[in-house]
């Protein structure tokens, strides 16, 4: 029901327009020019041929539906419990951006596969090095957001090395994919000196940066000049810099962290609370339960074991996003972590690590969320 609702929404949202324009550019100028301009090569490589046959918006969204089905098949293949499947299907039913024509779904899908293979390795279960590397390379070349996930990726690679990397006759496949992606990125490497990623760049006449716009957004929200989850226009940001000077707003993530430390810490706490509250719409109490289990295990054992990989990296990413994002954290950025925690939570239930009362409270809350969600969607459809 939710998939039908999200897929029938009008095309051409702010984020979809970026990819629709990229498809137009490929069609009119060719792949070399498009890659030189910066596009998401893996995602548009999947979409382009299909877009010629069935239209651009439909193709963008259909690829994401296929990716969601592949995600479900992957967890079926990895024998996710029925409880885990129920929570996973509920989660992907509550998230509109999975069905929007952007590269978010491909990035989430590939990073989830990588992280879940690492989770299996950390738990001393069978895992596929080839599948993990294949998924990692797709994620890295799909969205520049992988840089934020780099600490977690490095931890994952360390665990792979620690438990043992067993290569086989199929290990050439991820290496061949890596070589292909590097080759496809040559136009961007030659023209720009970097890999090709979609970037929502400000208009050419604008002097402000995204960091400055986001920082100003939170200042204006705190002063009651702007509603939550909105940004000032580029013109407003430029005007602010003109009046207050170029150094009145930080330019870059590191500058933003240390520009006003008290402001950063206040927004860090607010962002953490924001994530805990809004993630509950799709996760129930799973995030809180998994992090609680992490702290209890650390206190009990006075150490961090490999099987705490999932809640450990979840905590790391919550801290990173809450620190570097001054305005507000978008839940889609944390989707790989949330889906990983669903798999982890289902494992905790399977081995009876969750008290039955807590488990039933969480289940009851999910039932309330499901009922409320059905009511809201039916109201919007009819």
């Amino acid at each position: 029901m939710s998939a039908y609702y999200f897929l029938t929404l009008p095309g051409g949202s702010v984020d979809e327009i970026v990819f629709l324009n990229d498809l137009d550019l490929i069609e009119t100028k060719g792949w070399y020019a498009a890659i030189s301009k910066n596009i998401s090569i893996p995602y548009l490589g999947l979409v382009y041929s299909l877009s010629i046959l069935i239209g651009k918006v439909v193709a963008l969204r259909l690829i994401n539906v296929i990716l969601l089905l592949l995600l479900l098949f992957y967890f079926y293949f990895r024998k996710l419990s029925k409880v885990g499947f129920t929570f996973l299907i509920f989660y992907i039913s509550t998230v509109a951006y999975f069905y929007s024509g952007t590269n978010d779904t491909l990035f989430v899908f590939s990073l989830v596969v990588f992280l879940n293979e690492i989770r299996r390795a950390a738990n001393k279960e069978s895992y596929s090095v080839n599948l993990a590397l294949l998924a990692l390379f797709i994620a890295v070349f799909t969205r520049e957001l992988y840089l934020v996930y780099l600490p977690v990726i490095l931890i994952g690679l360390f665990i792979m090395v620690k438990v043992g990397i067993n290569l086989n006759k199929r290990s050439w496949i991820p290496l061949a994919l890596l070589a292909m992606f590097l080759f496809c990125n040559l136009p961007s490497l030659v023209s720009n000196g970097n890999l090709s990623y979609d970037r929502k760049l400000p208009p050419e006449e604008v002097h402000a940066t995204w960091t400055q716009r986001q920082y100003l957004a939170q200042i204006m929200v705190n002063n009651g000049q702007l509603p939550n989850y909105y940004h000032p226009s580029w013109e407003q940001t430029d005007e602010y810099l003109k009046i207050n000077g170029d150094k009145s707003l930080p330019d870059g993530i590191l500058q933003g962290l240390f520009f006003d430390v008290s402001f950063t810490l206040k927004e860090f706490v607010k962002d953490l609370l924001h994530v805990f509250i809004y993630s509950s719409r799709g996760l129930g109490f799973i995030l809180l339960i998994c992090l609680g289990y992490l702290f209890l295990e650390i206190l009990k054992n006075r150490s961090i074991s490999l099987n705490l990989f999932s809640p450990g990296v979840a905590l790391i990413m919550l801290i990173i996003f809450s620190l570097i994002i001054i305005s507000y954290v978008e839940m889609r950025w944390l989707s790989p972590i949330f889906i990983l925690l669903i798999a982890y939570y289902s494992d905790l239930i399977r081995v009876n690590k969750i008290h039955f009362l807590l488990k039933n409270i969480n289940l009851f809350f999910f039932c309330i969320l499901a009922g409320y969600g059905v009511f809201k969607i039916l109201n919007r459809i009819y």
Side-chain angles (χ1 to χ4, degrees):
M1 186 184 298
S2 61
Y4 169 80
Y5 171 72
F6 292 137
L7 289 171
T8 53
L9 289 174
S13 66
V14 174
D15 289 330
E16 275 187 341
I17 286 174
V18 174
F19 296 93
L20 291 171
N21 290 339
D22 287 344
L23 288 171
D24 288 338
L25 184 62
I26 294 169
E27 194 174 349
T28 56
K29 301 291 185 180
W31 280 95
Y32 192 97
I35 294 171
S36 298
K37 173 259 176 188
N38 284 316
I39 61 171
S40 176
I41 295 173
Y43 182 58
L44 292 173
L46 291 173
V47 170
Y48 179 68
S49 297
L50 196 59
S51 71
I52 298 173
L53 299 174
I54 61 175
K56 296 180 177 65
V57 173
V58 177
L60 287 167
R61 295 183 177 185
L62 179 60
I63 286 296
N64 287 347
V65 171
I66 293 170
L67 289 170
L68 288 176
L69 293 174
L70 286 175
L71 181 66
L72 294 176
F73 176 77
Y74 164 76
F75 276 110
Y76 174 79
F77 171 72
R78 282 306 186 195
K79 295 181 171 55
L80 183 67
S81 69
K82 291 180 181 178
V83 172
F85 253 108
T86 302
F87 290 147
L88 177 60
I89 291 172
F90 179 86
Y91 176 71
I92 64 178
S93 299
T94 63
V95 182
Y97 50 78
F98 280 149
Y99 306 93
S100 181
T102 72
N103 61 354
D104 285 324
T105 305
L106 179 59
F107 178 77
V108 170
F109 167 68
S110 51
L111 195 56
V112 164
V113 171
F114 170 74
L115 293 174
N116 194 61
E117 290 301 305
I118 300 302
R119 181 187 66 85
R120 293 178 61 85
N123 291 344
K124 298 181 180 177
E125 301 174 33
S126 63
Y127 84 105
S128 170
V129 174
N130 296 334
L131 184 58
L133 292 177
L134 196 72
L136 176 60
F137 295 152
I138 293 172
V140 166
F141 286 94
T142 297
R143 281 203 67 179
E144 207 168 11
L145 186 63
Y146 87 90
L147 289 171
V148 183
Y149 275 89
L150 200 54
V152 166
I153 291 171
L154 293 176
I155 292 171
L157 293 174
F158 169 78
I159 291 175
M160 283 177 62
V161 172
K162 189 173 179 63
V163 302
I165 298 178
N166 299 315
L167 301 178
N168 55 42
K169 60 183 180 181
R170 293 191 182 92
S171 297
W172 64 269
I173 297 175
L175 297 176
L177 184 71
L178 173 62
M180 184 190 76
F181 280 148
L182 288 172
F183 176 78
C184 290
N185 272 273
L186 282 177
S188 180
L189 290 169
V190 171
S191 301
N192 311 309
N194 51 43
L195 296 175
S196 176
Y197 296 104
D198 270 293
R199 294 182 174 93
K200 289 191 288 185
L201 298 174
E204 290 183 6
E205 67 275 10
V206 168
H207 299 290
T209 64
W210 267 104
T211 304
Q212 291 172 326
R213 190 184 184 198
Q214 288 179 328
Y215 205 92
L216 179 60
Q218 197 56 48
I219 292 174
M220 294 177 70
V221 167
N222 292 352
N223 292 337
Q225 299 169 301
L226 194 70
N228 260 321
Y229 318 124
Y230 283 84
H231 289 104
S233 67
W234 288 110
E235 292 74 20
Q236 285 177 294
T237 312
D238 267 357
E239 184 65 20
Y240 183 93
L241 290 170
K242 183 179 178 181
I243 294 171
N244 298 282
D246 291 339
K247 302 297 183 181
S248 59
L249 293 172
D251 185 8
I253 290 174
L254 285 178
Q255 279 190 33
L257 284 174
F258 301 105
F259 188 76
D260 183 340
V261 175
S262 63
F263 184 75
T264 299
L265 290 176
K266 184 173 71 173
E267 296 307 320
F268 169 72
V269 173
K270 285 168 60 178
D271 283 344
L272 271 181
L273 290 174
H274 169 80
V275 171
F276 281 118
I277 292 169
Y278 281 86
S279 66
S280 66
R281 296 180 175 185
L283 291 177
F285 299 127
I286 287 177
L287 177 59
L288 284 171
I289 292 170
C290 290
L291 291 182
Y293 181 78
L294 169 69
F295 291 125
L296 287 175
E297 285 294 297
I298 292 173
L299 288 172
K300 184 173 71 174
N301 301 316
R302 303 294 179 183
S303 63
I304 302 176
S305 57
L306 288 182
N307 60 10
L308 294 175
F309 168 76
S310 299
V313 298
L315 180 61
I316 291 170
M317 293 313 303
L318 285 179
I319 292 171
I320 289 174
F321 274 114
S322 297
L323 269 177
I324 67 174
I325 303 300
I326 295 297
S327 52
Y328 62 93
V329 178
E330 293 188 37
M331 294 299 105
R332 59 179 175 153
W333 300 333
L334 286 163
S335 284
I337 293 300
F338 291 161
I339 294 174
L340 180 69
L341 286 182
I342 289 172
Y344 183 74
Y345 179 75
S346 69
D347 276 355
L348 292 180
I349 290 177
R350 180 171 51 83
V351 295
N352 295 316
K353 293 289 186 180
I354 306 296
H355 192 279
F356 78 96
L357 183 60
L358 189 57
K359 181 173 62 177
N360 288 330
I361 288 173
N362 189 44
L363 186 59
F364 179 68
F365 185 58
F366 264 103
C367 291
I368 293 174
L369 289 172
Y372 177 74
V374 169
F375 174 75
K376 291 287 286 185
I377 288 176
L378 286 175
N379 269 350
R380 292 180 181 181
I381 292 176
Y382 299 107

